[in-house]
C-alpha cells in the first residue's frame, strides 16, 4: 500500500477530517448545515444519537463507508474515540475536592466555610 492510499480522503473533505479530530460534534453540525451528513446507510435517529454520544465513532463509520479501514484517518478516529472514552472520566473526579467546615467562635456563633483543594 502506498502513502497516497493511506492518506486518501475519498469523498470526505479534508477540513472535515482535520477539524473532526478536535471538535467532532461541531464538525458534524457544520457539515450537516453545509451539505448534509455524509451518505451512509444509518437512519437519521441513529445518526443523531451517535452524534450526541459517540461523535468520533460516527465519523469513523463515515470514513469506513467511504474509504475503508486501510486508511490513517479511520484509525486516528478509532484511537481518539477510545482515548476519549477512557481518558476523560477520572479527570473530572480528581480535579477539585470540596469540604464544608463549620466552626464556632467564643460567642457561640457558627461560621460555615467551603474549602476547595485541587488534587
Amino acid at each position: 500500500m502506498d502513502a497516497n492510499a493511506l492518506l486518501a480522503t475519498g469523498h470526505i473533505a479534508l477540513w472535515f477530517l482535520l477539524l473532526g479530530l478536535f471538535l467532532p460534534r461541531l464538525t458534524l453540525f457544520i457539515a450537516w448545515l453545509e451539505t448534509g451528513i455524509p451518505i451512509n446507510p444509518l437512519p437519521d435517529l441513529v445518526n443523531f444519537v451517535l452524534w450526541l454520544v459517540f461523535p468520533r465513532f460516527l465519523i469513523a463509520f463515515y470514513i469506513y463507508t467511504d474509504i475503508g479501514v486501510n486508511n490513517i484517518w479511520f484509525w486516528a478516529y478509532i484511537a481518539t474515540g477510545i482515548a476519549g472514552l477512557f481518558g476523560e472520566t477520572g479527570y473530572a473526579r480528581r480535579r477539585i475536592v470540596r469540604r464544608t467546615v463549620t466552626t464556632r467562635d467564643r460567642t457561640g456563633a457558627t461560621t460555615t466555610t467551603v474549602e476547595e483543594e485541587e488534587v
Side-chain angles (χ1 to χ4, degrees):
M1 177 178 292
D2 61 353
N4 290 334
L6 191 62
L7 296 173
T9 60
H11 295 100
I12 300 173
L14 185 60
W15 71 266
F16 180 84
L17 294 172
L18 288 174
L19 188 61
L21 283 172
F22 302 102
L23 302 167
R25 284 185 189 93
L26 179 65
T27 304
L28 286 166
F29 182 70
I30 292 170
W32 176 75
L33 286 177
E34 189 176 290
T35 60
I37 57 174
I39 297 171
N40 65 72
L42 297 175
D44 289 338
L45 182 62
V46 174
N47 276 312
F48 180 72
V49 169
L50 287 174
W51 174 76
L52 285 175
V53 182
F54 302 115
R56 286 192 177 99
F57 292 118
L58 179 61
I59 296 173
F61 179 74
Y62 292 161
I63 294 168
Y64 169 74
T65 57
D66 188 45
I67 307 166
V69 295
N70 294 330
N71 194 289
I72 193 76
W73 294 110
F74 176 79
W75 293 108
Y77 275 96
I78 294 297
T80 56
I82 291 171
L85 285 176
F86 296 111
E88 297 172 1
T89 57
Y91 175 74
R93 277 186 268 132
R94 289 178 290 161
R95 267 190 353 206
I96 296 175
V97 176
R98 291 187 177 99
R99 292 185 189 99
T100 304
V101 178
T102 305
T103 57
R104 292 187 179 209
D105 60 6
R106 286 182 252 171
T107 62
T110 59
T111 305
T112 302
T113 58
V114 176
E115 297 178 354
E116 293 183 355
E117 177 184 353
E118 245 182 86
V119 179

